[in-house]
Amino acid sequence: MNNTYKLTSGKLDGYIELEYTSGLLTRISIAIKQGLNDKQFSWLISAITQHEHQVRQLEEIGITVSAAMPANQKLALFCRLYELYKKIKYKVSPADSGKIKLITIDEPMLVAYFTSENFIFKNKHSVSNLVRYYNELRAEIAKSSKPAHPDYWSDKHASKLDGKARAAYIGHLHSIGLKPVYLLNGDVKDWVKKQ
């Protein structure tokens, strides 16, 4: 039986996946943005346990260990949400379980997929389409979660805004407890925390 574990940490920008077959380590997948140097790589390899029953020991050194969702559970989640949004049952093809195990999904990601107005996804909902455009979906989710304005004063950002957007930016700065500091000519020099 195959079990997959996802390792995350505040120090890693990404994750590491460990796959165990019959209790023994059979695959390591490193998906991080910043590459590891030789010392980090050696430490990582020495910290990873060969036996599945010891994998939770990594939590003692600050690594979060979570069991990855198996393909059948991912497929069941997709089918449940498909039926919820499309009002009909999804007809699973034999290739779907093989395709869906290639990606990491959760309910919020699938909700974004089924509610997206992007022409790539809209009314083309299938496991094949989800897997094919997985990176585009992740980019759309990341883009939608970015704040409209920075939490500090930026002349460059403010100069790009029209009247309403500039007023919203100033309102945002006020809402996080900042107040303007003016130059003698009346221009805003900076925004600082209210005393």
Side-chain angles (χ1 to χ4, degrees), residues 5-17 31-32 58-59 61-66:
Y5 297 89
K6 189 174 185 177
L7 310 180
T8 56
S9 169
K11 297 177 182 178
L12 285 177
D13 190 8
Y15 62 91
I16 298 167
E17 268 189 358
I32 56 176
L58 293 169
E59 292 175 338
I61 56 174
I63 296 175
T64 304
V65 179
S66 58

Side-chain angles (χ1 to χ4, degrees), residues 78 81-82 85-86 109-116 125-126:
F78 181 88
L81 290 173
Y82 184 91
Y85 285 97
K86 303 294 252 179
M109 179 180 276
L110 288 177
V111 168
Y113 175 68
F114 284 110
T115 58
S116 175
H125 301 115
S126 68

Side-chain angles (χ1 to χ4, degrees), residues 138-152:
R138 289 180 55 222
E140 184 177 304
I141 292 168
K143 182 180 174 186
S144 67
S145 64
K146 287 185 181 175
H149 306 292
D151 290 341
Y152 56 88

Side-chain angles (χ1 to χ4, degrees), residues 7-177:
L7 310 180
T8 56
S9 169
K11 297 177 182 178
L12 285 177
D13 190 8
Y15 62 91
I16 298 167
E17 268 189 358
L18 305 178
E19 184 176 311
Y20 291 87
T21 304
S22 300
L24 294 174
L25 181 65
T26 55
R27 184 178 64 87
I28 301 173
S29 175
I30 302 174
I32 56 176
K33 287 186 180 179
Q34 182 69 29
L36 300 173
N37 61 36
D38 291 339
K39 186 176 179 181
Q40 291 169 326
F41 183 76
S42 297
W43 179 86
L44 174 69
I45 296 302
S46 67
I48 292 173
T49 61
Q50 183 178 354
H51 301 281
E52 183 177 3
H53 65 88
Q54 297 172 328
V55 76
R56 296 281 175 199
Q57 292 176 355
L58 293 169
E59 292 175 338
E60 295 172 7
I61 56 174
I63 296 175
T64 304
V65 179
S66 58
M69 192 184 304
N72 62 340
Q73 287 181 358
K74 291 180 191 178
L75 205 49
L77 178 63
F78 181 88
C79 290
R80 183 173 58 82
L81 290 173
Y82 184 91
E83 187 173 1
L84 180 71
Y85 285 97
K86 303 294 252 179
K87 308 295 185 223
I88 59 171
K89 289 190 181 277
Y90 182 74
K91 180 161 175 35
V92 178
S93 74
D96 284 345
S97 68
K99 290 177 183 177
I100 206 162
K101 74 178 179 183
L102 300 173
I103 60 174
T104 303
I105 59 170
D106 56 11
E107 191 162 339
M109 179 180 276
L110 288 177
V111 168
Y113 175 68
F114 284 110
T115 58
S116 175
E117 293 296 318
N118 190 328
F119 76 95
I120 294 174
F121 314 121
K122 192 170 183 175
N123 298 323
K124 300 174 188 170
H125 301 115
S126 68
V127 171
S128 295
N129 194 52
L130 173 64
V131 173
R132 183 180 305 126
Y133 296 112
Y134 179 69
N135 289 326
E136 288 82 352
L137 177 62
R138 289 180 55 222
E140 184 177 304
I141 292 168
K143 182 180 174 186
S144 67
S145 64
K146 287 185 181 175
H149 306 292
D151 290 341
Y152 56 88
W153 175 254
S154 168
D155 285 324
K156 186 176 178 181
H157 179 72
S159 66
K160 295 177 185 176
L161 303 174
D162 64 3
K164 281 186 176 182
R166 187 177 174 100
Y169 180 36
I170 290 170
H172 169 69
L173 293 174
H174 279 294
S175 72
I176 60 171

